[in-house]
Amino acid sequence: QLSSKSSSVNIIMSVARPVVTVYSTAGEPSSTTVPLPGVFTTPLRPDLTASIHALLNMNNRQAYAVSRDAGMQSSAESWGTGRAVSRIPRVPGGGTHRSGQGAFGNMCRGGRMFAPNRVWRKWHRKAPVAQRRAAVASALAASGVVPLIMARGHRVEDVAEVPVVVSSAAQKTVKTAAVLEILNKLGLGKDLERARTSKKTRTGKGKMRNRRYVLRRGPLVVYDADEGIKRACANLPGVETCRVDGLNLLQLAPGGHSGRLIVWTEDAFNKLDTIYGVEADAPGKSKFSLPTPMMSNPDISRIINSDEVQSVLRPARGQPQKIPMKKNPLKNKKVMLALNPAAVIAKQEPAGGKKKKGKKDAKVKAVGKSFYKQMVAKD
């Protein structure tokens, strides 16, 4: 049976909160386990994630525009009408190819562009706070689903368990080589290699603007306290870091696609329930509680076929009666015969009992000719 919202949350959390193994920095599973945070049971909303990502991604843009006087630095004037040329302003003077050429217009060589770019364009966008938080929660939930992680392109064949939780001792790592060794022992070596070998020169003019190379995203390392881990990960291609208190949708769902491979430290993983809550309002977010599924049991066929639902349903109706299309008896012979069997005879006889005027019979013609000859002979 369907239950209320509060009881459905309890059912979901009791069923869908397994424990997660904490791995040591040597890549070995420890005896410590932590329960899966409630945010990982959030319904997946790829539509919300993509729309909010598009809005937030606009906030990194810088204003650009053409010069205010570009294409307008000429004393050109129109020649007016009556000279068999267009009325576009023309450069004055003589003795050079430039004189008499059109100016100012966007169709002219050296003229301004159509609708010149201005710096007061609306570059940035505001995103509703509640939707931002819901999108982050959805992206976090997607980071615990292996098919979605693989759909983003991450290589997780050697990863023993997702989400990946490592001991908090990893936060004290200060050497890049030590972080690389930890990630390799956790089974992330193939994903690191994928990101490293994907470095390519950017297409377009961005290569001239201090962003010459592009590469794929690797794992995201989420920590609670930065004791050297951030600097140690800075030189690893594709690897990004983030504090658990400042989780960013642009990092959790790059390009608006959920399923980022995340490596959690134990302290950061335990802090998720403190930030986002489980059932009640989130302690770390004002006036926010985790989105919950509309149904406690998503198995629709099981609900429909249950005794509770089937007992109150009406019996199934039979096939609806087919009404044949009506045919015009004036155009359809079979329908006309069914309505009027004498229609064949009526069609053969002319209307009003009069015979149709047609050619005379050959015998009649012969009698007429012989009669005419007799009349002529007597004369």
Side-chain angles (χ1 to χ4, degrees):
Q1 294 180 354
L2 298 177
S3 53
S4 62
K5 182 178 179 181
S6 59
S7 58
S8 67
V9 172
N10 293 329
I11 293 172
I12 293 167
M13 297 312 299
S14 62
V15 173
R17 285 200 76 183
V19 292
V20 180
T21 306
V22 178
Y23 287 79
S24 65
T25 53
E28 299 295 332
S30 65
S31 58
T32 308
T33 58
V34 290
L36 190 71
V39 70
F40 281 89
T41 62
T42 305
L44 302 182
R45 289 289 307 275
D47 55 335
L48 182 64
T49 303
S51 61
I52 296 299
H53 181 279
L55 294 177
L56 296 179
N57 203 30
M58 292 182 181
N59 296 330
N60 295 327
R61 299 191 296 176
Q62 290 182 337
Y64 62 86
V66 296
S67 172
R68 181 180 177 183
D69 298 325
M72 302 296 291
Q73 295 172 322
S74 174
S75 57
E77 290 183 0
S78 174
W79 289 357
T81 59
R83 299 187 61 177
V85 292
S86 64
R87 288 174 283 187
I88 193 75
R90 297 179 181 277
V91 178
T96 176
H97 291 298
R98 182 59 176 155
S99 60
Q101 290 183 353
F104 298 158
N106 64 313
M107 74 293 294
C108 300
R109 177 175 177 270
R112 53 158 176 77
M113 66 178 288
F114 168 74
N117 296 320
R118 302 297 187 188
V119 293
W120 55 78
R121 178 190 293 185
K122 186 180 179 183
W123 299 100
H124 305 117
R125 298 291 188 274
K126 292 182 179 179
V129 175
Q131 292 186 26
R132 287 207 311 263
R133 291 171 175 173
V136 169
S138 176
L140 287 174
S143 69
V145 182
V146 177
L148 294 180
I149 295 175
M150 297 180 69
R152 280 211 80 254
H154 293 291
R155 303 289 299 276
V156 291
E157 299 95 309
D158 301 332
V159 178
E161 187 177 347
V162 173
V164 182
V165 182
V166 67
S167 172
S168 296
Q171 296 179 162
K172 300 179 181 179
T173 309
V174 294
K175 291 290 186 179
T176 302
V179 174
L180 183 60
E181 184 180 2
I182 293 173
L183 295 178
N184 282 325
K185 288 181 177 179
L186 290 173
L188 303 175
K190 289 185 178 180
D191 199 54
L192 294 173
E193 183 68 14
R194 177 188 69 92
R196 187 184 67 80
T197 57
S198 67
K199 187 175 181 179
K200 299 288 188 298
T201 304
R202 182 187 297 270
T203 57
K205 289 195 175 182
K207 67 169 71 72
M208 311 174 194
R209 296 174 180 169
N210 205 25
R211 47 181 187 269
R212 189 169 186 82
Y213 300 103
V214 291
L215 73 161
R216 307 284 79 79
R217 299 290 182 99
L220 173 66
V221 179
V222 180
Y223 57 87
D224 181 28
D226 181 17
E227 300 175 14
I229 184 69
K230 184 176 181 180
R231 187 183 177 115
C233 294
N235 206 30
L236 291 176
V239 178
E240 296 178 333
T241 56
C242 181
R243 269 189 81 225
V244 68
D245 295 307
L247 290 172
N248 184 4
L249 186 65
L250 300 178
Q251 289 182 319
L252 294 174
H257 306 293
S258 302
R260 182 76 185 267
L261 178 59
I262 303 177
V263 179
W264 303 86
T265 63
E266 185 180 359
D267 290 346
F269 200 68
N270 290 330
K271 202 171 182 180
L272 286 175
D273 278 343
T274 307
I275 298 173
Y276 292 98
V278 180
E279 300 176 16
D281 292 343
K285 307 286 183 182
S286 175
K287 298 180 181 178
F288 176 76
S289 58
L290 286 175
T292 55
M294 297 296 292
M295 304 177 68
S296 60
N297 183 6
D299 192 350
I300 303 296
S301 61
R302 184 178 177 185
I303 294 173
I304 292 175
N305 295 321
S306 64
D307 296 336
E308 292 81 3
V309 174
Q310 291 294 327
S311 62
V312 296
L313 292 179
R314 59 166 176 75
R317 292 174 180 168
Q319 290 292 332
Q321 184 181 0
K322 269 194 172 183
I323 302 175
M325 186 175 65
K326 187 177 180 181
K327 296 180 180 179
N328 187 358
L330 299 176
K331 295 183 178 180
N332 194 307
K333 293 181 181 179
K334 291 183 179 180
V335 177
M336 175 60 83
L337 289 175
L339 294 174
N340 182 16
V344 179
I345 303 171
K347 192 172 184 180
Q348 292 175 353
E349 294 180 359
K354 295 181 181 179
K355 292 184 179 179
K356 292 182 179 179
K357 292 183 178 180
K359 291 184 178 181
K360 291 183 179 180
D361 234 4
K363 293 179 180 180
V364 175
K365 283 185 178 182
V367 172
K369 284 183 179 181
S370 63
F371 179 75
Y372 178 74
K373 287 179 181 179
Q374 291 175 7
M375 294 291 293
V376 172
K378 287 180 180 179
D379 293 338

Coordinates of all heavy atoms in Angstrom, one line a residue, residues 49 55 105 152 155 208 217 224 231 263 289 291 298 308 377:
T49 N 19.6 19.2 -13.3 CA 21.1 19.3 -13.2 C 21.6 20.1 -14.5 O 22.4 21.0 -14.4 CB 21.7 17.9 -13.1 OG1 21.2 17.2 -12.0 CG2 23.2 18.1 -13.0
L55 N 22.9 27.7 -16.2 CA 22.8 29.0 -15.6 C 24.1 29.4 -14.9 O 24.7 30.5 -15.0 CB 21.6 29.1 -14.7 CG 20.2 29.0 -15.3 CD1 19.2 29.0 -14.3 CD2 20.0 30.1 -16.3
G105 N 28.2 51.4 -43.0 CA 27.2 50.3 -43.0 C 27.9 49.0 -42.7 O 29.1 48.8 -43.0
R152 N 29.7 8.6 -18.2 CA 30.5 9.8 -18.3 C 31.9 9.5 -18.9 O 32.6 10.5 -19.3 CB 30.7 10.5 -17.0 CG 29.5 11.3 -16.5 CD 29.9 12.5 -15.6 NE 30.3 13.6 -16.5 CZ 31.6 14.0 -16.6 NH1 32.6 13.3 -16.0 NH2 31.9 15.0 -17.4
R155 N 36.8 5.3 -16.0 CA 37.3 3.9 -16.0 C 37.3 3.4 -14.6 O 38.1 3.8 -13.8 CB 38.7 3.8 -16.6 CG 38.8 4.3 -18.0 CD 38.1 3.5 -19.0 NE 38.7 2.1 -19.1 CZ 39.7 1.8 -19.8 NH1 40.3 2.7 -20.5 NH2 40.2 0.5 -19.8
M208 N 44.9 30.8 -28.4 CA 45.7 32.0 -28.3 C 45.4 32.8 -27.0 O 46.0 33.8 -26.8 CB 45.4 32.9 -29.5 CG 45.5 32.3 -30.9 SD 44.9 33.4 -32.1 CE 44.7 32.3 -33.5
R217 N 38.0 15.1 -17.8 CA 38.0 15.2 -16.3 C 38.3 13.9 -15.7 O 37.7 12.8 -16.1 CB 36.6 15.7 -15.9 CG 36.2 17.1 -16.4 CD 37.0 18.2 -15.8 NE 36.5 19.5 -16.2 CZ 35.7 20.3 -15.6 NH1 35.3 19.9 -14.4 NH2 35.4 21.4 -16.1
D224 N 37.6 17.2 3.9 CA 36.9 18.0 5.0 C 37.9 19.1 5.4 O 37.5 20.3 5.5 CB 36.6 17.1 6.2 CG 35.9 18.0 7.3 OD1 35.3 19.0 7.0 OD2 36.0 17.6 8.5
R231 N 47.1 21.0 -2.5 CA 48.3 21.3 -3.2 C 48.9 20.0 -3.8 O 49.5 20.1 -4.9 CB 49.3 22.0 -2.3 CG 50.5 22.5 -3.0 CD 51.5 23.1 -2.0 NE 52.7 23.5 -2.7 CZ 53.1 24.7 -2.8 NH1 52.4 25.7 -2.3 NH2 54.3 25.0 -3.4
V263 N 36.2 10.7 -5.0 CA 37.0 10.0 -3.9 C 36.7 10.9 -2.7 O 37.1 12.0 -2.6 CB 38.5 9.9 -4.3 CG1 39.2 9.3 -3.1 CG2 38.7 9.2 -5.6
S289 N 15.2 20.8 2.7 CA 15.3 19.4 3.0 C 15.5 18.6 1.8 O 15.1 19.1 0.7 CB 14.0 19.0 3.7 OG 12.8 19.3 2.9
P291 N 15.1 16.4 -1.4 CA 14.0 16.0 -2.2 C 13.7 14.5 -2.0 O 14.7 13.7 -1.9 CB 14.4 16.2 -3.7 CG 15.5 17.2 -3.6 CD 16.2 17.0 -2.3
P298 N 8.7 2.1 -6.3 CA 8.6 2.5 -7.7 C 8.2 1.4 -8.7 O 8.1 1.6 -9.9 CB 10.1 2.9 -8.0 CG 10.9 2.1 -7.0 CD 10.0 2.0 -5.8
E308 N -4.9 -5.0 -3.2 CA -5.6 -3.7 -2.7 C -6.1 -2.9 -3.9 O -7.2 -2.3 -3.8 CB -4.6 -2.9 -1.9 CG -4.2 -3.5 -0.6 CD -3.1 -4.5 -0.7 OE1 -2.6 -4.7 -1.8 OE2 -2.8 -5.2 0.3
A377 N -40.0 5.8 -108.8 CA -40.3 5.1 -110.1 C -41.7 5.5 -110.6 O -41.9 5.6 -111.8 CB -40.1 3.6 -109.9

